[in-house]
Amino acid sequence: MERPNPCLTCGACCAYYRASFYWAEADDETPGGVPVALTRKLNEHRRVMIGCEGSKPRCIALEGTVGEQVCCTIYERRSSVCREFEASWINGKPNERCDAARIAWGLAPLEPDAWDFPNLPRAA
Ligand code: SF4
Ligand code: SF4
């Protein structure tokens, strides 16, 4: 049986951390960038995704239920901070920030084999 992408049944980091990024990544400056309407100015240099500013962050672009099924509605246009956030073990090592977000949502940290997709062809 094919395993789902673990992030698509998680979303904890998008509802735990503040997703802020260099202001020019927004689409008022960079065509195809982060939709500026989904952001607020954080300071002179940075914007933040709406929903992430308070003590209980949840990014406005996150759709679904954390720990069940989620998606990022701006996946192709998400900021560098989101693109660079690595799920634990996706590149062979844990990420304590991924683990912390999952734990905060009552989810166990990903196991080292979380990204083994048995149905995918493997190099010989
Ligand atoms: S933009 Fe997408 S990936 Fe980034 S925090 Fe929001 S929902 Fe998550
Ligand atoms: S907390 Fe980790 S597993 Fe969950 S969505 Fe974020 S990167 Fe993926």
Side-chain angles (χ1 to χ4, degrees), residues 11 31 34 49 56-57 62 78 86 92:
V34 183
M49 295 302 295
K56 291 193 169 182
L62 183 68
R78 69 201 193 285
E86 289 192 338

Side-chain angles (χ1 to χ4, degrees), residues 14 19 49 59 61-62 72 74 78 82:
C14 308
M49 295 302 295
C59 176
L62 183 68
C72 171
I74 60 162
R78 69 201 193 285
C82 301

Side-chain angles (χ1 to χ4, degrees), residues 47-120:
R47 287 193 159 273
V48 60
M49 295 302 295
I50 291 174
C52 292
E53 309 104 309
S55 58
K56 291 193 169 182
R58 181 183 165 119
C59 176
I60 189 174
L62 183 68
E63 196 172 272
T65 302
V66 173
E68 292 183 13
Q69 190 166 15
V70 293
C71 75
C72 171
T73 56
I74 60 162
Y75 188 77
E76 296 298 331
R77 299 171 64 179
R78 69 201 193 285
S79 69
S80 56
V81 72
C82 301
R83 292 173 188 276
E84 289 164 10
F85 193 97
E86 289 192 338
S88 280
W89 303 110
I90 193 168
N91 285 319
K93 56 184 192 301
N95 175 359
E96 63 184 24
R97 301 188 77 222
C98 168
D99 296 350
R102 287 181 60 91
I103 289 167
W105 275 95
L107 304 167
L110 294 180
E111 297 285 341
D113 66 353
W115 297 93
D116 289 348
F117 290 88
N119 289 356
L120 290 180

